[in-house]
Amino acid sequence: MTLWTAGEIAAATYGVASADFAVDGVAFDSREVGANDLFVALTGESTDGHRFVDQAFAQGATGAIVSADTAHPGVRVADTFAALGDLGRAARARMTGTVIGVTGSVGKTSAKEALFAALDRSLPGAVHRSVKSYNNHTGVPLSLARMPRDTKVGVFEMGMNHAGELSALTQLVRPHIAIVTAIAPAHTAFFADESAIADAKGEIFRGLEPGGVAIVPYDSPHRDRLIAAAAPSAARTVTFGLDKGADVRAIEAMRLPSGGSFVTAKLGNRELSFTLSQPGMHWVSNALAVLAAVDAAGADLARAGLALAEMGGLAGRGARFLAPAAGGDMLVIDESYNANPASMRATLAVLAEEPGRHIALLGEMRELGDASADYHADLAGPILAARVETALLVGEAMTPLAQALEGRVEVMHVADAATALGRLKDLARAGDALLVKGSNGVGLSRVVAGLASAGASRSRDGEHDRGSQGGGT
């Protein structure tokens, strides 16, 4: 089914179409354009998308949104960024199904992917979600604009690093169900304290549709603050967590030999037992939030449980693979996408459960403001609890942690990701478990890519391939 026609795009964006065309997808990054896509030529501080219009059409685009003359079929508008937002609003307006919004300091992308998998099990092919971490002022309207017209459930991730940003995004998404996964120190350079972060995350409830449901973490110290934020807009608030007071709670969570968990959840007077493929109690919490949303959407809980059992790890957020090391293979736990104090602690707890020697490759945590040194030094306890033998630390902000660990574990403190990869090649041995985690700007994903490439190369050369292992955060 056609996603957009030229006439629909022009009507939505208050633009003028130069020709008739139809598109099946939308992109604003020319590198992502595929066959029959609409290319939105955004103009930013560092680049102008109009420079890449020819490239987009060479890659298969059939239409474009532009604010300058082009020889290609397109819709001319005054402002391409505003037009992207208008197209997102039009997609939301024509959608007659259920919309779910997800935010939180940690776990929002993982919860969004798990929720998509759980709902797709009941409604195969009829569930749409944000891709990657497209959760900001450009990613959210793009994700909306990509939503097929016959979508029955849409799941959208929303992020922020300043107060007021979620208010704008949630008015675009207008969710029927809104989830806050957790509140934790993140972007603290821009907030007075953690309560201010909770207030900013609570903005998601302002966009709830009439009759909407708010889903909040019961175990959070900011629970009551979030419930109060939801009260003016939500018809109902549902809590999730491990405490017996939560509406959706885990009454049992046992670690399995595979690394995941066997969970029995209670939802009111109902119980659901399921296997969760991802390791760690933070994933148990994610799963409870997912079940609360599935239930609020009226979807099948049993099928959701099956989907949670089958989920693999997400790249940068818990994916696992084997990489070559001296004498054989080592396990790599890829948490390289981003980091804050809470997610660092959670993933170090997962590392603690793995057999073998433990190596932690940790990049500095950014945007933590004046408390950055304390947040980094405080990771010493979780590192010791995880039985880490070697801590490979990347970035200047890791200096307080290196000092806190001195004499307690082997510490290697390096300036950048490339140096860390070189050290790993000399350090790693067969049977090691390596956790890779840090703020996205540190670039540890390049370390993961290098390790994965080495493993793939060896496999192609005919050596024994022990396969991959599921995981997640």
Side-chain angles (χ1 to χ4, degrees):
M1 183 180 294
T2 297
L3 182 63
W4 296 103
T5 65
E8 289 170 334
I9 296 167
T13 62
Y14 309 97
V16 177
S18 65
D20 288 332
F21 60 86
V23 299
D24 299 325
V26 184
F28 57 62
D29 185 336
S30 60
R31 296 166 296 184
E32 296 183 357
V33 172
N36 300 318
D37 273 356
L38 173 72
F39 175 61
V40 184
L42 296 182
T43 301
E45 294 180 1
S46 59
T47 189
D48 184 349
H50 293 86
R51 294 169 46 204
F52 304 101
V53 171
D54 289 344
Q55 176 185 332
F57 278 87
Q59 291 175 203
T62 53
I65 293 179
V66 295
S67 57
D69 289 336
T70 177
H72 299 285
V75 173
R76 176 79 178 262
V77 299
D79 182 327
T80 54
F81 176 76
L84 177 61
D86 290 334
L87 195 62
R89 288 185 189 87
R92 176 64 185 88
R94 74 182 182 184
M95 194 269 197
T96 59
T98 300
V99 175
I100 304 173
V102 183
T103 194
S105 301
V106 292
K108 54 185 175 290
T109 300
S110 299
K112 177 255 300 180
E113 290 295 324
L115 186 52
F116 170 80
L119 292 166
D120 189 63
R121 193 66 180 250
S122 295
L123 300 165
V127 183
H128 173 76
R129 94 285 205 184
S130 313
V131 297
K132 301 181 182 177
S133 289
Y134 283 180
N135 61 21
N136 63 7
H137 63 289
T138 53
V140 170
L142 176 69
S143 296
L144 283 165
R146 288 173 165 177
M147 182 166 55
R149 61 183 75 228
D150 58 348
T151 297
K152 288 186 169 49
V153 182
V155 184
F156 297 94
E157 177 182 341
M158 288 175 268
M160 64 87 202
N161 56 21
H162 289 83
E165 291 178 342
L166 269 178
S167 284
L169 295 178
T170 194
Q171 294 299 332
L172 272 175
V173 174
R174 293 192 290 113
H176 299 94
I177 302 165
I179 305 169
V180 175
T181 58
I183 304 297
H187 311 299
T188 53
F190 309 121
F191 295 95
D193 54 28
E194 201 169 282
S195 294
I197 296 173
D199 290 340
K201 293 297 183 183
E203 292 173 14
I204 192 174
F205 303 128
R206 298 178 187 175
L208 275 170
E209 290 286 271
V213 178
I215 298 176
V216 305
Y218 187 90
D219 302 327
S220 171
H222 307 287
R223 174 193 67 218
D224 293 341
R225 202 175 192 96
L226 291 170
I227 291 173
S233 306
R236 182 163 60 100
T237 297
V238 177
T239 59
F240 67 91
L242 306 179
D243 190 278
K244 63 181 181 180
D247 298 317
V248 178
R249 69 183 189 275
I251 57 178
E252 181 180 43
M254 299 188 303
R255 179 178 167 82
L256 298 172
S258 62
S261 300
F262 178 78
V263 181
T264 299
K266 191 171 183 63
L267 301 87
N269 58 3
R270 297 163 295 167
E271 289 187 7
L272 175 70
S273 294
F274 61 96
T275 299
L276 179 60
S277 61
Q278 288 83 359
M281 290 306 294
H282 59 301
W283 251 109
V284 174
S285 180
N286 282 345
L288 296 172
V290 166
L291 292 180
V294 168
D295 191 42
D300 191 309
L301 286 169
R303 292 187 180 186
L306 292 173
L308 291 170
E310 295 173 358
M311 272 195 71
L314 308 176
R317 295 179 174 86
R320 295 175 169 218
F321 62 91
L322 297 173
D329 294 321
M330 66 172 172
L331 170 67
V332 179
I333 305 173
D334 174 19
E335 291 280 357
S336 60
Y337 179 76
N338 220 336
N340 59 43
S343 62
M344 279 283 200
R345 290 171 180 270
T347 51
L348 282 164
V350 170
L351 177 64
E353 300 293 333
E354 298 299 333
R357 186 175 67 140
H358 294 170
I359 303 173
L361 169 52
L362 306 178
E364 63 186 20
M365 302 176 291
R366 297 182 175 176
E367 297 185 350
L368 292 179
D370 295 340
S372 177
D374 290 338
Y375 281 128
H376 283 86
D378 286 347
L379 292 178
I383 287 172
L384 295 172
R387 298 178 289 107
V388 171
E389 294 188 23
T390 301
L392 182 49
L393 309 178
V394 183
E396 183 179 352
M398 279 295 190
T399 300
L401 177 58
Q403 294 170 344
L405 290 172
E406 188 175 355
R408 306 165 81 180
V409 300
E410 181 183 20
V411 176
M412 298 181 182
H413 189 190
V414 301
D416 53 50
T419 305
L421 179 58
R423 293 287 183 92
L424 270 178
K425 290 178 178 178
D426 297 329
L427 174 67
R429 303 196 302 258
D432 287 349
L434 168 68
L435 169 66
V436 183
K437 189 166 184 65
S439 283
N440 198 35
V442 180
L444 295 187
S445 60
R446 294 192 291 273
V447 175
V448 173
L451 296 171
S453 176
S457 176
R458 189 181 69 175
S459 179
R460 286 194 298 271
D461 290 341
E463 297 213 15
H464 181 56
D465 182 3
R466 285 169 55 189
S468 62
Q469 303 178 40
T473 185

